[in-house]
Amino acid sequence: MLRLEFLFTLAQALDDALVKAPPMGYNSWNHFGCTLNQEELLKTAASLKDLGFLELGYRYFVLDDCWMAKTRGVTLEADSNAFPSGIKDFGQKLHEMNFLFGIYTCRGVSTCEGRPSSRDHEEADAKAFAEWEVDFVKNDACWDPDCGPEQPTVPGSGICDIEGRRKAVLRYQRMKDAMNRTGRPMVHSLAGWQPWFAVVGSQLAHMWRVGADVKDWDGVYEATRIMEQLREYHGAQGWNDPDMLLGSSRGATLKLTPLQSRAQFSLWALMPAPLMLGANVLELSPYDALTYSNLEAIEINQDPLVTPAEVVYHNCPPYPRFVMGQRADGAPEFELHTNGVQDPGVVCGAHTAPNCPACCQGHGEGWCHGECEWLGERGNGNPDDDQNCVLSEKAKKKPAAENNPNPWQRKDLKESSMHQCQQVWVRRLTNGQVALVAVNFASKAATVDLPLSQLRLPWGDETPSILWDVWHVAKAPEQVHGHLKLALEANGGHYMLKLEQKSTQEDLPAKDFKEVSLRASLQMPSDPLVNGSVQGTGTMTEFVMGGFLPITNDGTGPMVIDGCFGGCLGQVVVEFRRRKR
């Protein structure tokens, strides 16, 4: 295997200064799916700007699949029903709001939703993107006959061996080169869904997906197990992408609980990973608004040191170890070491089992599905004879895990029963501080007793540290005899901390605080999504929520709000100004 030391003699990494920090923005897929609508999308962009997200750095507004018509001409063309004024006009409207305009295409014979792709039309489409003043191109991987799902009309499809990986790299290289020839700077974002793209990612793009879509809490967990292994391929010349952020606001197709969405954001901010919002912005809850606008978390994500975070503590089950390199012809090499890792077993419908007989154990033939099949006619055998459930002929031909053409995931290892555990991630920052995120993936509350020596603090573990709690929760973690005790709620309980050497900490005068505005619609205090407290007498109300403190114009104290709560109907809109060192 050609080791990675030779990688940069084969192809030079992109170095165009477009992504010195992880890109931040919004993607339409989790909310809109394949039902894009120009008017609603522009409302979404306006809402992002009104809420202050553009000011905070969420610059890219990216259209996902289905923006294009169902047939193409010389270039991809906009769906006239979704974009009656045309795609260039839509992009101009985004530019007028000071957003950067992102668009979607695919390396396969069609997009994931069956729309036309750019395969074999890279040159023409790249020129069109440049003419439309596109700033960001998401390049997906669906329906690639060389490295993708099986296609009945394409012999040999349904596998992604090393030759398929080489061809996938060449496809992305063609689009990258075509984009470069236009002369317009455009971020190239690969959605290849495989860890091995980390090896070649910086040669082809500015960010690259490394696993399956994150659709739920199980997916968040698996994304962390992948990302923890890819630190050496992560930095200012390109970013491993664990997928979009899932909000908790109503109306989106995919979402998490409020606690889980904030835990995901904390992890992604620390890694640091691209921060692409996927929530329903038009119905964004106050909780999500405060999560995604936390300036301290964003500053950690955008810290210019760009040192990747590392896992310093976890008690999770073993996960396959990736061994990767690159051949002289550019093909990514990918091996899995599975010592101590649970055997993946078989997929039998909606669940997994160690083997086919175990699929239907105690349930009968009705549970013999997926990669398993029932011997003989159903209904004629003994329903308790589990040995009648055997591996199907198709499953016997399934490619090895290294050559699997589908998005990388281990369904058996990301099930809830397999992540009853906690993780602690740590990252050094430019100013000498250390940032830490601890997350509880388990369904029960837990306390992590972490020796400070495991954090490898630059000032050592003997000197006491100042803890800055990014989320300003009610109970700060304790430092006891060189240990950090982190009490974590169930199903997403987390801390995001900054540690600083105590002897260097000085109080800063109020004039040294930065201020960033956030405008949020607040529901009644009884709304379970509101994080924090609402207290007041008469019309004097103080809000301290999610790290945001409304302050008076002179910066001396809480803002006075004229209004009432509990006895009033509707919402109250409050202007927040975040005080930040």
Side-chain angles (χ1 to χ4, degrees):
M1 177 182 289
L2 181 67
R3 300 309 304 162
L4 192 66
E5 294 92 276
F6 300 98
L7 176 61
F8 297 106
T9 67
L10 298 172
Q12 188 174 2
L14 293 175
D15 190 17
D16 51 19
L18 282 181
V19 292
K20 291 302 184 184
M24 297 171 59
Y26 166 84
N27 181 286
S28 65
W29 183 254
N30 286 354
H31 176 200
F32 289 95
C34 201
T35 57
L36 297 180
N37 176 287
Q38 175 176 303
E39 183 179 352
E40 292 300 301
L41 286 163
L42 290 174
K43 285 181 181 177
T44 298
S47 182
L48 281 168
K49 185 171 183 177
D50 289 345
L51 286 166
F53 286 107
L54 178 61
E55 182 184 358
L56 288 165
Y58 295 92
R59 302 187 301 154
Y60 293 98
F61 191 98
V62 182
L63 299 180
D64 210 279
D65 203 349
C66 301
W67 68 267
M68 66 284 285
K70 295 182 180 179
T71 58
R72 65 172 293 140
V74 176
T75 70
L76 293 173
E77 298 173 352
D79 184 326
S80 59
N81 292 321
F83 298 93
S85 63
I87 201 67
K88 184 174 183 178
D89 179 73
F90 177 79
Q92 287 177 340
K93 287 181 168 63
L94 289 177
H95 285 148
E96 289 168 3
M97 286 189 263
N98 293 321
F99 284 101
L100 297 175
F101 174 32
I103 212 164
Y104 168 100
T105 188
C106 186
R107 76 168 196 253
V109 295
S110 69
T111 71
C112 298
E113 294 296 316
R115 302 290 178 101
S117 72
S118 292
R119 189 181 184 89
D120 297 328
H121 300 278
E122 290 88 353
E123 200 74 32
D125 287 350
K127 288 180 180 177
F129 296 159
E131 182 185 342
W132 301 338
E133 298 183 335
V134 167
D135 306 294
F136 183 111
V137 178
K138 177 180 175 180
N139 202 342
D140 218 332
C142 287
W143 305 116
D144 182 349
D146 301 315
C147 179
E150 183 178 2
Q151 301 179 43
T153 60
V154 183
S157 62
I159 190 170
C160 190
D161 56 15
I162 192 162
E163 180 61 15
R165 297 196 286 273
R166 184 184 71 83
K167 291 180 178 179
V169 167
L170 289 176
R171 283 287 167 186
Y172 282 140
Q173 181 78 34
R174 287 178 66 172
M175 179 55 85
K176 183 205 85 167
D177 291 343
M179 289 166 60
N180 285 345
R181 280 191 287 271
T182 69
R184 180 172 179 80
M186 290 181 273
V187 170
H188 194 200
S189 171
L190 308 187
W193 323 311
Q194 296 287 350
W196 48 262
F197 270 110
V199 177
V200 295
S202 64
Q203 304 165 25
L204 304 170
H206 302 90
M207 53 190 277
W208 45 88
R209 284 279 303 281
V210 292
D213 290 359
V214 174
K215 300 180 178 180
D216 50 29
W217 186 231
D218 296 342
V220 173
Y221 167 74
E222 184 163 46
T224 68
R225 302 310 308 270
I226 297 170
M227 288 289 287
E228 68 179 298
Q229 298 191 54
L230 304 179
R231 297 181 66 247
E232 63 182 294
Y233 313 107
H234 195 66
Q237 291 184 331
W239 306 94
N240 298 312
D241 179 10
D243 200 14
M244 289 175 276
L245 295 162
L246 297 178
S248 64
S249 301
R250 64 184 184 182
T253 304
L254 302 173
K255 57 185 178 180
L256 301 169
T257 69
L259 192 64
Q260 291 168 354
S261 68
R262 186 166 288 180
Q264 183 200 19
F265 181 75
S266 300
L267 284 163
W268 268 228
L270 187 75
M271 285 177 177
L275 299 179
M276 301 300 291
L277 304 179
N280 176 6
V281 177
L282 298 177
E283 297 190 49
L284 199 66
S285 69
Y287 190 98
D288 281 357
L290 296 176
T291 295
Y292 297 142
S293 58
N294 187 300
L295 185 60
E296 287 175 286
I298 292 171
E299 287 181 341
I300 290 171
N301 178 259
Q302 300 287 296
D303 188 88
L305 188 59
V306 299
T307 303
E310 62 178 318
V311 176
V312 297
Y313 169 88
H314 81 87
N315 55 0
C316 301
Y319 194 83
R321 185 168 65 86
F322 309 139
V323 180
M324 302 187 293
Q326 189 177 24
R327 287 195 326 195
D329 63 0
E333 295 184 301
F334 184 51
E335 295 178 2
L336 296 175
H337 287 194
T338 57
N339 291 343
V341 179
Q342 172 181 292
D343 187 276
V346 294
V347 178
C348 33
H351 63 293
T352 59
N355 51 53
C356 286
C359 276
C360 54
Q361 191 171 22
H363 301 281
E365 64 187 66
W367 282 45
C368 187
H369 290 299
E371 296 177 346
C372 305
E373 60 184 4
W374 192 260
L375 285 177
E377 295 184 18
R378 288 184 178 269
N380 292 339
N382 180 353
D384 297 322
D385 187 1
D386 301 328
Q387 298 306 313
N388 279 346
C389 188
V390 299
L391 196 65
S392 68
E393 290 301 315
K394 183 176 180 180
K396 291 177 183 177
K397 300 176 183 178
K398 185 173 72 171
E402 291 91 338
N403 299 333
N404 191 334
N406 299 308
W408 170 265
Q409 60 180 328
R410 277 288 302 264
K411 291 184 178 180
D412 59 313
L413 296 182
K414 71 176 185 178
E415 292 177 349
S416 177
S417 61
M418 296 300 292
H419 59 73
Q420 298 301 302
C421 61
Q422 297 77 43
Q423 295 177 353
V424 179
W425 292 66
V426 167
R427 178 178 164 216
R428 291 193 181 189
L429 305 177
T430 303
N431 57 7
Q433 294 177 331
V434 171
L436 174 152
V437 170
V439 175
N440 184 14
F441 287 98
S443 55
K444 293 183 179 179
T447 298
V448 172
D449 188 348
L450 185 69
L452 290 175
S453 59
Q454 287 188 225
L455 303 184
R456 297 191 283 278
L457 299 170
W459 54 86
D461 54 275
E462 298 298 326
T463 304
S465 303
I466 295 289
L467 299 181
W468 293 89
D469 186 345
V470 171
W471 296 115
H472 301 269
V473 295
K475 186 178 180 181
E478 300 177 7
Q479 294 182 78
V480 180
H481 304 303
H483 286 238
L484 196 59
K485 294 186 181 294
L486 303 164
L488 303 169
E489 298 178 57
N491 289 316
H494 58 276
Y495 274 109
M496 188 174 195
L497 307 173
K498 288 195 298 185
L499 288 81
E500 185 173 327
Q501 187 174 1
K502 190 171 185 178
S503 60
T504 64
Q505 177 60 36
E506 298 177 359
D507 291 330
L508 298 178
K511 63 181 178 64
D512 288 335
F513 279 75
K514 302 174 186 177
E515 294 183 1
V516 170
S517 297
L518 170 74
R519 196 164 178 267
S521 295
L522 301 182
Q523 299 177 10
M524 299 301 105
S526 59
D527 185 339
L529 296 184
V530 173
N531 174 40
S533 61
V534 179
Q535 304 170 347
T537 303
T539 60
M540 305 284 288
T541 310
E542 176 184 351
F543 300 86
V544 182
M545 303 189 316
F548 280 82
L549 177 64
I551 56 175
T552 56
N553 291 334
D554 61 5
T556 58
M559 179 186 294
V560 175
I561 307 295
D562 289 327
C564 57
F565 290 87
C568 300
L569 299 176
Q571 297 181 332
V572 176
V573 178
V574 181
E575 187 80 16
F576 284 87
R577 289 190 298 157
R578 176 73 170 91
R579 289 215 302 186
K580 173 69 180 68
R581 289 186 186 274

